[in-house]
Amino acid sequence: DTAVSQTPKYLVTQMGNDKSIKCEQNLGHDTMYWYKQDSKKFLKIMFSYNNKELIINETVPNRFSPKSPDKAHLNLHINSLELGDSAVYFCASSQISRDHEQYFGPGTRLTVT
Amino acid sequence: QKEVEQNSGPLSVPEGAIASLNCTYSDRGSQSFFWYRQYSGKSPELIMSIYSNGDKEDGRFTAQLNKASQYVSLLIRDSQPSDSATYLCAVRAEGSYIPTFGRGTSLIVHP
């Protein structure tokens, strides 16, 4: 039983393309997140979505946009991909009643050529 | 700006020893503290959380929190080669549901 799942696991694409990464959690959590982990392994928060509230890290380019069709899903859309977007993207979820302990998906390794 | 500092390592310890991982944070309003383990090529996995000053033990792991010194640590007793990973410290401030992560400490346990 996968708690937080992401698809695809690997994504190789060319500069300028538009791509999406999907995330689903079956934990019943109320908050979901997207993180970017670069080659130096630093986890950078990109977005968090808590029921009605979307919090965007202001340093994230507006080419990135989250879309949440329901509480269990938070997808990431990326327009006009650039070389610097190459990284591993992690989805995570948490629950306020569990003090927002985060559970991470397996990650999507994005390579832009 | 909220900061969470960790020594990047690598910290190398022999099998069976105690590994001590340290983390300092800048925001005095922090109320929740987490340790995640990340194996190479895998996602972070929550191993401990701590909210009050003092020690919290879970198996071979002990988290220690000192809010006055703005310091949280993770001790791993009887270290095993399978403990070799990067350990990420995360700190969450009161009123926020977004934690701030440190850059992680790489731990190597050699046989």
Side-chain angles (χ1 to χ4, degrees), chain A:
Chain A
D1 291 342
T2 303
V4 183
S5 60
Q6 294 178 231
T7 54
K9 188 169 176 64
Y10 299 97
L11 184 54
V12 180
T13 188
Q14 292 184 327
M15 287 175 55
N17 286 348
D18 303 337
K19 290 294 179 184
S20 295
I21 306 172
K22 295 185 177 181
C23 177
E24 177 181 2
Q25 55 96 1
N26 63 6
L27 297 168
H29 286 172
D30 57 17
T31 306
M32 297 184 72
Y33 313 77
W34 276 107
Y35 285 90
K36 178 181 180 181
Q37 189 170 49
D38 58 25
S39 57
K40 295 185 178 180
K41 306 301 182 186
F42 179 54
L43 263 179
K44 173 186 172 183
I45 183 72
M46 301 179 71
F47 306 100
S48 60
Y49 192 79
N50 179 316
N51 290 332
K52 304 173 186 176
E53 182 184 26
L54 174 65
I55 295 181
I56 301 172
N57 184 328
E58 61 189 16
T59 67
V60 174
N62 58 15
R63 298 182 293 103
F64 291 79
S65 59
K67 295 216 172 22
S68 180
D70 55 57
K71 278 181 57 173
H73 298 83
L74 184 64
N75 303 325
L76 181 65
H77 297 269
I78 316 170
N79 295 325
S80 303
L81 277 155
E82 301 179 356
L83 292 176
D85 298 332
S86 296
V88 179
Y89 292 84
F90 289 105
C91 176
S93 70
S94 68
Q95 177 69 25
I96 187 170
S97 60
R98 292 298 306 269
D99 200 52
H100 288 298
E101 295 173 339
Q102 292 183 322
Y103 292 83
F104 285 79
T108 296
R109 181 173 294 276
L110 172 65
T111 303
V112 182
T113 62

Side-chain angles (χ1 to χ4, degrees), chain B residues 44-66:
Chain B
E45 173 192 14
L46 178 70
I47 53 173
M48 290 283 287
S49 55
I50 187 167
Y51 310 104
S52 304
N53 279 329
D55 295 359
K56 179 181 179 182
E57 186 175 320
D58 184 0
R60 295 186 297 111
F61 298 97
T62 299
Q64 299 176 318
L65 175 60
N66 184 326

Side-chain angles (χ1 to χ4, degrees), chain B residues 19-86:
Chain B
S20 178
L21 304 160
N22 304 316
C23 173
T24 59
Y25 58 94
S26 63
D27 184 1
R28 286 197 169 273
S30 300
Q31 67 171 20
S32 305
F33 306 84
F34 309 96
W35 283 100
Y36 290 83
R37 176 178 61 200
Q38 186 174 23
Y39 292 114
S40 181
K42 301 294 185 182
S43 58
E45 173 192 14
L46 178 70
I47 53 173
M48 290 283 287
S49 55
I50 187 167
Y51 310 104
S52 304
N53 279 329
D55 295 359
K56 179 181 179 182
E57 186 175 320
D58 184 0
R60 295 186 297 111
F61 298 97
T62 299
Q64 299 176 318
L65 175 60
N66 184 326
K67 290 187 178 180
S69 300
Q70 296 176 246
Y71 177 96
V72 57
S73 63
L74 180 70
L75 301 179
I76 306 175
R77 289 183 301 282
D78 188 25
S79 296
Q80 302 297 310
S82 59
D83 295 325
S84 298
T86 296

